[in-house]
Amino acid sequence: MSETPLPPRPEYHPGSAQPRLNRPVQERYPQIRSTSGYGDPRIRHTGPGPGAGTEQEPERSSRLNARLALALTVVIGQLWALTVTVNEWMKGNTGTAWWGAGFLILSFLVVIGLWLLDPKDR
């Protein structure tokens, strides 16, 4: 095999205020060496620490999930009730529309009650 000569390097124009960085390099991040994880003094914290990503309080998580499921159910019910209420109002059935508005207010109060249930979880 014949060796082909390397193409000429483009002219380099320094762009950093630090002279040690003003050199043409082939690496993507020339300031960070391959030993960055353990040899670079700029890296102080390498990760989240022991126990990260594991559930510390499974009871709290199940309570929050149950409240979230209840709140989402109420919100879906509110959207449905809002649709029915507006349809009845547009048809002229104001009595039914007022009952729908009462249901919407009551379901909003249920969500507020769920929120006030355990203030230390906020």
Side-chain angles (χ1 to χ4, degrees):
M1 248 183 161
S2 65
E3 290 190 28
T4 58
L6 294 173
R9 289 187 166 192
E11 196 168 317
Y12 183 75
H13 302 287
S16 176
Q18 300 176 13
R20 65 182 181 85
L21 299 178
N22 290 329
R23 64 190 189 288
V25 289
Q26 299 301 320
E27 302 99 27
R28 185 170 182 170
Y29 301 106
Q31 308 91 306
I32 299 177
R33 302 285 172 237
S34 59
T35 60
S36 288
Y38 55 88
D40 194 338
R42 295 174 293 177
I43 309 273
R44 300 209 192 287
H45 304 289
T46 58
T54 60
E55 184 56 57
Q56 303 295 327
E57 297 179 61
E59 296 85 12
R60 179 177 180 267
S61 175
S62 63
R63 279 193 321 261
L64 291 175
N65 285 337
R67 277 198 280 169
L68 181 66
L70 284 172
L72 288 175
T73 303
V74 170
V75 167
I76 290 170
Q78 283 180 325
L79 290 173
W80 171 79
L82 182 64
T83 303
V84 170
T85 303
V86 169
N87 283 339
E88 291 299 317
W89 183 268
M90 291 296 177
K91 287 179 187 175
N93 299 333
T94 57
T96 308
W98 283 114
W99 281 107
F103 174 78
L104 288 170
I105 291 170
L106 180 66
S107 59
F108 177 74
L109 293 175
V110 167
V111 171
I112 293 294
L114 288 172
W115 183 70
L116 291 174
L117 196 61
D118 199 1
K120 67 180 169 114
D121 271 342
R122 290 191 283 279

